[in-house]
């Protein structure tokens, strides 16, 4: 059995298969997170690769969703009594390739059914691993968020917002105009509560279109939701208002009450320890400096 191991946000990922798979070549964005052995007593999310077809019996599965922001209608998410099944129809080398991931109800153990000939050039595999990691990690005070993050001296600020809002642009403005800041992640960092008062944010292998796969962590100082406006204005948020600023950027299965409730509890703990703000802004230097001064 071949086993390939990674550590992301202090959580282990183990990918296993009966025969050799060139996983490091297929998952180049994971390179900085590779480990030969796991640290002692680490939580491990496991994936087994099955080179075979997975037969979906419609009577055994309930369709929960057939649309995805990433895959459009080339996607299905289904539930049976004991598992979830994620189906992605990916275009690889002008051929349709169907990827299927069967996960237990906790997402701690998944089987990925694949065609070896279609491994090279695929983006679906990385995405499927991200889906399982995002759900399984919630029970360990960890969450993937949709955000762009800048870091300086082991302290970080995360920018939230709808796609197209300008998160990446705002990060670039900080890097350009505010000395000492660099980009940690540009799409899907991980947040982890390590004790009741300390929240860290981590780089991950998932950074959208920006090749920024930094294996670092930093203390999270602020989460700021951006909104485009013809002016620059910063407002700090607390309590329920802070929760509503964060909720759209966190992901949990709304069909799984346990996972969804875990995410809400995690959010409540985060806003007790991390500053939350809202920035109406233009894509300019003044917006970055206004945001920085308010957080500082």
């Amino acid at each position: 059995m071949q086993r390939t191991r990674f550590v992301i946000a202090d959580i282990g990922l183990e990918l296993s298969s009966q025969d050799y798979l060139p996983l490091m070549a297929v998952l180049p964005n994971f390179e900085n997170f590779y480990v030969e052995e796991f640290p002692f007593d680490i939580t491990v999310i496991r994936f087994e690769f099955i080179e075979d077809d997975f037969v979906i019996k419609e009577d055994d599965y309930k369709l929960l969703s057939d649309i995805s922001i990433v895959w459009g209608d080339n996607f299905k998410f289904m539930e049976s009594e004991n598992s979830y099944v994620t189906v992605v129809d990916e275009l690889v080398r002008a051929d349709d390739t169907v990827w299927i991931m069967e996960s237990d109800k906790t997402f701690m153990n998944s089987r990925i059914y694949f065609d070896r000939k279609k491994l090279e050039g695929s983006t679906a595999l990385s995405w499927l691993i991200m889906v399982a990691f995002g759900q399984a990690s919630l029970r360990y005070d960890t969450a993937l968020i949709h955000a762009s993050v800048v870091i300086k001296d082991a302290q970080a600020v995360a920018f939230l917002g709808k796609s197209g809002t300008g998160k990446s642009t705002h990060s670039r403005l900080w890097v350009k105009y505010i000395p000492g800041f660099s980009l940690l992640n540009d799409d899907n960092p991980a947040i982890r509560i390590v004790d009741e008062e300390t929240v860290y944010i981590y780089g991950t292998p998932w950074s959208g279109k920006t090749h920024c796969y930094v294996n670092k962590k930093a203390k999270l100082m602020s989460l700021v939701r951006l909104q485009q406006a013809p002016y620059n204005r910063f407002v700090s948020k607390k309590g329920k208002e802070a929760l509503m600023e964060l909720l759209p950027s966190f992901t949990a299965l709304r069909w799984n009450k346990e996972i969804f409730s875990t995410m809400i509890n995690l959010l409540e703990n985060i806003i007790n320890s991390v500053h939350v703000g809202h920035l109406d802004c233009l894509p300019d230097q003044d917006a970055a400096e206004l945001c920085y001064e308010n957080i500082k």
Side-chain angles (χ1 to χ4, degrees), residues 74-86:
N74 297 319
F75 167 84
K76 288 182 181 179
F77 185 68
M78 296 173 286
E79 180 182 21
S80 71
E81 182 179 356
N82 299 312
S83 67
Y84 292 110
V85 171
T86 308

Side-chain angles (χ1 to χ4, degrees), residues 267-282:
L267 278 170
E268 291 174 343
N269 290 331
I270 288 171
I271 64 176
N272 288 331
S273 302
V274 179
H275 171 261
V276 178
H278 182 100
L279 179 67
D280 296 310
C281 62
L282 295 160

Side-chain angles (χ1 to χ4, degrees), residues 52-58 60-61 78 85 100 102 113:
D52 199 355
D53 294 330
F54 180 83
V55 178
I56 299 175
K57 298 179 180 179
E58 293 187 4
D60 295 337
Y61 290 90
M78 296 173 286
V85 171
I100 297 178
E102 183 186 27
Y113 295 81

Side-chain angles (χ1 to χ4, degrees), residues 54-269:
F54 180 83
V55 178
I56 299 175
K57 298 179 180 179
E58 293 187 4
D59 292 341
D60 295 337
Y61 290 90
K62 174 184 177 183
L63 179 65
L64 299 178
S65 177
D66 59 1
I67 193 72
S68 161
I69 294 175
V70 176
W71 302 105
D73 58 1
N74 297 319
F75 167 84
K76 288 182 181 179
F77 185 68
M78 296 173 286
E79 180 182 21
S80 71
E81 182 179 356
N82 299 312
S83 67
Y84 292 110
V85 171
T86 308
V87 181
V88 172
D89 189 357
E90 182 186 30
L91 187 66
V92 178
R93 296 179 178 178
D95 296 324
D96 285 333
T97 302
V98 177
W99 291 81
I100 297 178
M101 180 174 72
E102 183 186 27
S103 308
D104 65 23
K105 288 298 182 79
T106 67
F107 285 89
M108 291 297 295
N109 299 280
S110 298
R111 289 183 172 183
I112 295 177
Y113 295 81
F114 74 104
D115 182 344
R116 179 181 294 267
K117 297 177 183 178
K118 304 295 179 65
L119 272 174
E120 185 179 346
S122 171
T123 59
L125 177 55
S126 177
W127 186 82
L128 288 171
I129 294 171
M130 181 181 70
V131 168
F133 178 90
Q135 303 305 313
S137 62
L138 286 167
R139 65 183 58 244
Y140 300 99
D141 293 324
T142 305
L144 284 178
I145 65 168
H146 186 46
S148 184
V149 185
V150 292
I151 180 176
K152 175 185 178 182
D153 299 332
Q155 296 185 339
V157 179
F159 306 115
L160 318 177
K162 296 180 180 179
S163 295
T165 298
K167 299 183 294 296
S168 297
T169 298
H170 197 73
S171 285
R172 287 196 294 269
L173 290 169
W174 275 59
V175 171
K176 182 176 181 178
Y177 293 114
I178 303 175
F181 277 94
S182 60
L183 188 66
L184 176 66
N185 187 276
D186 205 30
D187 195 50
N188 284 108
I191 291 181
R192 185 179 180 98
I193 299 177
V194 296
D195 58 47
E196 293 183 356
E197 297 181 354
T198 306
V199 179
Y200 282 98
I201 192 162
Y202 297 73
T204 72
W206 307 291
S207 190
K209 297 178 181 179
T210 305
H211 289 196
C212 183
Y213 311 119
V214 179
N215 188 5
K216 291 183 179 180
K217 70 177 181 180
K219 187 175 181 181
L220 183 58
M221 306 306 296
S222 183
L223 291 149
V224 181
R225 177 160 293 276
L226 306 179
Q227 185 168 332
Q228 294 178 352
Y231 52 82
N232 296 320
R233 180 180 63 190
F234 187 96
V235 180
S236 293
K237 301 287 186 176
K238 293 183 179 181
K240 183 179 179 180
E241 288 187 348
L243 182 65
M244 297 310 295
E245 294 287 339
L246 303 188
L247 187 59
S249 297
F250 285 69
T251 303
L253 291 180
R254 61 181 182 274
W255 301 283
N256 188 311
K257 292 182 180 179
E258 179 185 356
I259 291 177
F260 191 80
S261 296
T262 300
M263 184 195 73
I264 296 300
N265 291 335
L266 181 63
L267 278 170
E268 291 174 343
N269 290 331

